[in-house]
Amino acid sequence: MTKTLTRKQQELFDFLLQNEDHFPHPPTLEELCAALGIKSRGSLHAHIKALIAAQLVEAPERKQRGIRLTEVAKQMLSPNDDPSTLPFVGYIAAGRPIEAIENITYMTIPEQLKTEKPCYVLQVKGDSMIEQGIFDGDWVIIEQRSYARNGEIVVALVNKSEATLKFIEQYPHEILLIPANSNMTALRYKPDEIEIQGVLVGQMRSYTHPH
């Protein structure tokens, strides 16, 4: 799961992913400008810096020419040709926020539990969403996007380090992350402390595997 990218950054990253095998060597800034029709090397360089910060592109070394994808990014190219699978990216807290784990494997997901947009799977830890029927050890299917409507259940990244699953209410000066557990209170944040990383669209549970 990556930090939220702007539309231009996502387009650049998608281009690098889709053309990974088409370049005889990692593309230079000039080659990327030409391929993407970008006139300003400066603006492209800013997008590259954002991808480096998101750990999708390697920081260039003096000897290195060209823009290289990181190993994390290359896993997104994985031999995952089966459309019934989605990336499983680790655990998320349904109680106190914990950092999401980024060891990407793949899980087979029924078509009815996902959407046509990019989705991923997280496993729930904690009991803060139990009154919504989301229990410790459940798997949740998340549609990857950086916005949500008030009242939706979202994956929220708190202060760029910890991820949590909660209802969201958004106001101009405050964001509330609200548990579905009457023993817990809402968490209040400034808008710049929260990044939405996706919205809940499906859920799975196993009764045979220990959580």
Side-chain angles (χ1 to χ4, degrees):
M1 186 172 49
T2 63
K3 294 179 181 178
T4 304
L5 302 178
T6 66
R7 186 172 58 83
K8 286 290 186 185
Q9 289 159 13
Q10 187 68 50
E11 287 175 3
L12 172 58
F13 178 55
D14 289 344
F15 179 83
L16 288 168
L17 274 182
Q18 292 160 8
N19 292 279
E20 165 76 5
D21 296 328
H22 298 169
F23 292 110
H25 54 77
T28 63
L29 285 176
E30 290 84 356
E31 289 170 331
L32 284 173
C33 280
L36 292 165
I38 297 174
K39 295 178 181 177
S40 165
R41 271 190 60 180
S43 64
L44 178 62
H45 192 256
H47 296 327
I48 294 290
K49 284 178 68 175
L51 294 181
I52 291 172
Q55 300 182 326
L56 298 174
V57 166
E58 291 182 6
E61 300 172 3
R62 186 174 300 177
K63 297 177 184 176
Q64 172 188 318
R65 289 192 79 238
I67 307 303
R68 301 170 187 267
L69 293 170
T70 63
E71 289 306 311
V72 170
K74 287 178 182 177
Q75 285 181 5
M76 298 181 188
L77 283 166
S78 129
N80 175 40
D81 297 326
D82 184 348
S84 68
T85 66
L86 290 178
F88 170 59
V89 295
Y91 295 93
I92 192 168
R96 64 186 181 84
I98 61 171
E99 189 172 358
I101 300 168
E102 295 186 358
N103 294 324
I104 299 175
T105 56
Y106 287 85
M107 292 180 66
T108 302
I109 305 297
E111 196 66 35
Q112 295 86 343
L113 295 184
K114 54 189 178 180
T115 68
E116 294 179 353
K117 296 180 180 178
C119 293
Y120 58 91
V121 182
L122 287 165
Q123 194 164 21
V124 172
K125 279 192 173 183
D127 59 3
S128 75
M129 298 300 289
I130 56 174
E131 290 166 16
Q132 190 64 26
I134 300 171
F135 293 96
D136 184 69
D138 286 356
W139 290 278
V140 287
I141 295 91
I142 306 297
E143 181 180 289
Q144 187 170 353
R145 51 183 161 100
S146 59
Y147 60 91
R149 294 186 297 272
N150 284 351
E152 287 188 304
I153 297 174
V154 304
V155 174
L157 187 67
V158 181
N159 292 319
K160 298 188 182 295
S161 62
E162 298 173 322
T164 188
L165 187 74
K166 295 286 186 295
F167 286 107
I168 194 167
E169 293 287 343
Q170 302 162 96
Y171 303 100
H173 304 296
E174 184 177 57
I175 290 180
L176 271 61
L177 299 181
I178 304 168
N181 184 328
S182 53
N183 294 321
M184 298 181 179
T185 57
L187 305 171
R188 298 173 179 271
Y189 296 96
K190 297 175 183 176
D192 62 0
E193 294 177 316
I194 299 296
E195 292 177 32
I196 297 169
Q197 294 203 314
V199 174
L200 177 73
V201 295
Q203 179 181 351
M204 299 186 301
R205 179 175 303 152
S206 170
Y207 290 95
T208 58
H209 293 90
H211 294 152

